[in-house]
Amino acid sequence: MMNDWAGLPATYGDVLRRAMDSLFRTFENFSEGTFIVDAEARVVWINKRYAARFGFSDPQQAIGRDCEAVIPNSLMREVVKTGKPILLDILETDREPLVVTRLPLKDDAGNTVGAVGFALFDELKALTPLFSHYSRVQQELIATRQSLAQARRAKYTFGSFVGTSAASLEVKRQARRAAQLESPVLLLGETGTGKELLAHAIHGGSARANQPLVTVNVAAIPDTLLEVEFFGAAPGAYTGADRKGRVGKFELANGGTLFLDEIGDMPLPLQGKLLRVLQDKEFEPLGSNRIARADVRIIAATSADLPALVAAGRFRADLFYRLNVLTIQAPPLRERASDIEALAYAMLEDLSTQARGGNHFELQDDALRLLCSHGWPGNVRELRNTLERAVMLSDSERIDARALAPLLGMTHGAGGTGTSAGVAIGTAPTTHASSGTPATAAEPASWSDAMAAFEKRFLSDALRANGGRVIDTAVQIGMGRATLYKKIAAYGIDA
Ligand SMILES: Nc1ncnc2c1ncn2[C@@H]1O[C@H](COP(=O)(O)OP(=O)(O)OP(=O)(O)O)[C@@H](O)[C@H]1O
Ligand SMILES: [Mg+2]
C-alpha cells in the first residue's frame, strides 16, 4: 500500500499521515473498545471502557496478559501470526456480540510487530439494518434446512399401512423384517397397492431413519437427465449444466435410503451403472475424474412385470438378481377385500378432517357392499380417489350405494344419478383393459362418460402398441409421463 504513495509531492505525504492519524482517532473515539497487542499477542494497551467490559476496573491489570486471557475468543493472535487483517467480524461475548475490526501493525521492514483491535459497535445498533438482514437470512436458512430434512424423512410408518387381512399382515411382517436388514428391497405390485407407503415405512423403521430418504421417480425424469440426477455432475460437465455442478441423489442419500420408484423404466445403460454402484459402492459424477463413494440402502419399486422385462431383454438380469433379495409383493386390493372397510373408514376419517365444516362422513351398508364387490384395478389409490369424489359430490354425510355407483362406472337401481359431470372417470368392475373394446358394456350416459370411455380405450390401445412401455407411449402420443401414469391409475388400465 505504501508504494502507491511513493513519489507523490510532499503535501500528499502529509495528507497520508493525517489520514492515518485521524483514522485511528476516529476509530478510537467511536469504538466501544480499542486494544493493542505485541508480536506475542500480549496486551500492551487497552482503553478503559473495553477493559471494564471484560472485568478489569484498572486497564493496567490487563497489560502483559495474553489477549485471550483478557478478551475470550479474541483472534488477535491469528492476526499477529498471519500478518493479515480481519476487517469485519462478530465477536461473541458473554453479553451482546460485538462487531470488531483487527489490523496488523507492521514495522518499516514490513514485519508484523503487533496488532490493533477495535470493537466498533456495541449492541450492533449502528449495524441494525445489516444485522437484521443477516439474522433473517440465517432464520430462513434454518427453516429451509428443517423443511428439507422434514421432506427427506419418511412420510409413512408401518402404522399408516391399514389392513388386517392375512395378505396385509404378511406384507407388513416382511416389510418389518426388511427394515431390520441392509440388503436392497424390491417392492412389486400393481399400481396403487402401497409400494411407496411401504418404502417410507421400511426406511422409517430402519437404523437409517434419522438419515435422509431420497426418492427418484425414474419414469418422471427424461432419460438424458437421469445419469446426472443419480450421480451428479462436475461444474460445466454438460451443455446447460449448472455452472456450480450438481450433487446427485446418491450423494444426497449418503447414510440413508435411496428409493428408486418405477425402476422398470430405467434405461439399460443406466442399469449397468446402477449395478456397479450396488456392487462397489462407487460412482463417478459426470465430467469429473473423481470417484465418489456413497453408503446408500436401495429400495426399488415397480408396477411393471420385471421378470417379463428381463425375458424381453429390457431389464438386465444381473441387476434384477441383485435387487431381488428381499422382495415384497404388495397384493392387489381385490385379493384382500376384507381390508376395504377398514381402509374406507380410515380414508373417510382423513377426508373428514380435511373437509370444511368438520363433516363426518359415513358409509351406508349398501355402499360398503358395493365397494367390496368392485374389482379396484387402481387398488387403494382408486379407492381413495373414489371416496374423495364421493365426499365432494355428496349432499349428505351418509354416502350410499346410489351415490357411489356412478363413480365406479356402474349404474345403480333406477339410475338417474349418472348425469353428474364429476363422474367422468369410471371403469367396469374387475375389467382389465387388455382387449381393445370399451370397458363398459352400457351406452355412455353423458358426454363426459363418452369422453372418458374414449380416452381409456385410446390410452389402452396406445400402450398395447408400445408393448406396455409407458415412456414410449407418452412420447408417441405427446403426453407427459406423469399425466399418463395418473390416467393409467385412474382408469385402472393394465399397463
Ligand atoms: N394399506 C394401505 N393403507 C392406507 N393407505 C394406503 C395403503 N396402501 C396404499 N395406500 C394409499 O394409497 C395411495 C397409493 O399408494 P402408493 O402411492 O404407495 O402406491 P404405489 O404402489 O406406489 O402405486 P404406483 O405403482 O402407482 O406408484 C396412497 O395415497 C397411499 O397412502
Ligand atoms: Mg408409487
Side-chain angles (χ1 to χ4, degrees):
M1 285 300 282
M2 293 299 282
N3 290 340
D4 292 349
W5 293 79
L8 287 171
T11 46
Y12 282 87
D14 189 38
V15 171
L16 171 62
R17 260 189 312 279
R18 281 175 190 282
M20 293 194 293
D21 204 32
S22 24
L23 191 67
F24 183 82
R25 239 186 270 276
T26 313
F27 267 51
E28 217 277 306
N29 280 343
F30 283 91
S31 76
E32 292 296 320
T34 307
F35 83 125
I36 298 173
V37 297
D38 65 11
E40 265 76 53
R42 280 182 310 237
V43 176
V44 289
W45 182 79
I46 182 164
N47 71 356
K48 236 177 134 147
R49 215 166 352 151
Y50 211 30
R53 187 187 173 111
F54 291 98
F56 297 90
S57 49
D58 178 2
Q60 284 302 322
Q61 296 165 353
I63 307 298
R65 296 182 190 234
D66 283 343
C67 62
E68 301 87 352
V70 177
I71 298 170
N73 306 324
S74 170
L75 293 183
M76 292 290 260
R77 188 175 301 282
E78 190 180 316
V79 175
V80 171
K81 234 187 244 168
T82 62
K84 295 208 172 90
I86 300 174
L87 288 177
L88 198 60
D89 194 14
I90 292 177
L91 178 77
E92 297 290 346
T93 71
D94 56 356
R95 283 152 61 187
E96 308 79 22
L98 295 170
V99 174
V100 296
T101 289
R102 306 180 186 99
L103 306 170
L105 298 172
K106 311 241 175 181
D107 64 11
D108 288 344
N111 302 315
T112 306
V113 292
V116 55
F118 302 100
L120 287 181
F121 306 102
D122 201 1
E123 298 172 34
L124 301 171
K125 258 187 255 133
L127 280 186
T128 301
L130 188 70
F131 199 67
S132 61
H133 177 76
Y134 169 81
S135 3
R136 203 179 57 242
V137 169
Q138 202 164 33
Q139 290 304 323
E140 277 169 20
L141 182 67
I142 291 168
T144 309
R145 282 202 177 130
Q146 278 172 348
S147 68
L148 197 62
Q150 185 72 33
R152 290 193 181 137
R153 216 165 286 146
K155 268 192 299 193
Y156 305 103
T157 62
F158 288 112
S160 325
F161 194 95
V162 177
T164 51
S165 64
S168 286
L169 292 179
E170 175 60 15
V171 163
K172 274 202 265 192
R173 191 190 65 77
Q174 290 176 356
R176 280 212 171 84
R177 195 172 57 102
Q180 306 303 316
L181 303 169
E182 275 284 303
S183 30
V185 180
L186 182 59
L187 298 165
L188 300 176
E190 291 177 14
T191 182
T193 46
K195 299 184 293 295
E196 184 170 345
L197 190 161
L198 287 169
H200 279 248
I202 292 170
H203 170 77
S206 76
R208 295 171 178 257
N210 290 326
Q211 302 296 322
L213 167 65
V214 176
T215 297
V216 184
N217 187 326
V218 176
I221 298 161
D223 291 2
T224 45
L225 298 184
L226 264 176
E227 182 173 350
V228 170
E229 185 77 10
F230 271 108
F231 306 122
Y238 59 103
T239 352
D242 281 309
R243 231 180 274 137
K244 289 199 207 107
R246 230 187 123 125
V247 181
K249 298 281 190 187
F250 260 98
E251 243 167 307
L252 284 179
N254 196 15
T257 305
L258 185 62
F259 175 38
L260 304 179
D261 207 358
E262 315 288 2
I263 194 151
D265 282 6
M266 185 176 273
L268 277 168
L270 196 61
Q271 290 177 23
K273 292 190 173 147
L274 174 62
L275 186 66
R276 189 182 140 199
V277 192
L278 291 181
Q279 280 164 349
D280 308 337
K281 307 219 179 301
E282 278 182 359
F283 58 94
E284 201 174 317
L286 198 76
S288 80
N289 290 321
R290 110 191 135 89
I291 298 289
R293 310 198 107 252
D295 161 33
V296 166
R297 203 256 174 115
I298 301 284
I299 301 181
T302 180
S303 50
D305 182 351
L306 267 195
L309 290 180
V310 172
R314 298 183 55 82
F315 201 87
R316 288 179 67 131
D318 44 9
L319 179 59
F320 175 66
Y321 293 125
R322 188 89 202 175
L323 293 173
N324 194 25
V325 184
L326 285 167
T327 304
I328 301 175
Q329 185 82 41
L333 189 56
R334 63 183 167 280
E335 287 174 15
R336 44 181 168 126
S338 62
D339 288 342
I340 289 177
E341 183 171 356
L343 276 168
Y345 275 106
M347 285 165 180
L348 283 177
E349 186 68 35
D350 205 29
L351 293 168
S352 297
T353 49
Q354 285 173 25
R356 284 163 296 151
N359 288 344
H360 269 278
F361 294 96
E362 282 178 27
L363 290 172
Q364 303 269 48
D365 286 350
D366 61 348
L368 195 59
R369 276 199 299 278
L370 189 64
L371 291 182
C372 291
S373 68
H374 186 61
W376 301 114
N379 295 294
V380 188
R381 183 185 290 111
E382 189 190 359
L383 176 62
R384 195 185 163 90
N385 290 349
T386 304
L387 292 173
E388 215 167 332
R389 292 211 306 278
V391 161
M392 268 185 328
L393 296 173
S394 172
D395 297 326
S396 134
E397 293 188 9
R398 295 179 68 77
I399 297 166
D400 58 13
R402 206 181 164 80
L404 276 182
L407 303 179
L408 299 173
M410 302 170 187
T411 46
H412 182 258
T417 48
T419 50
S420 162
V423 182
I425 301 170
T427 61
T430 63
T431 302
H432 289 256
S434 46
S435 77
T437 53
T440 41
E443 282 295 304
S446 67
W447 174 81
S448 55
D449 283 356
M451 288 306 287
F454 166 77
E455 192 175 43
K456 182 178 177 187
R457 194 173 65 218
F458 172 78
L459 296 179
S460 309
D461 288 350
L463 278 162
R464 196 162 348 91
N466 284 286
R469 292 183 301 278
V470 177
I471 298 179
D472 296 351
T473 311
V475 170
Q476 195 200 29
I477 66 175
M479 182 181 276
R481 264 187 283 181
T483 314
L484 182 54
Y485 268 108
K486 281 192 198 126
K487 287 184 186 288
I488 290 170
Y491 288 126
I493 297 170
D494 233 2

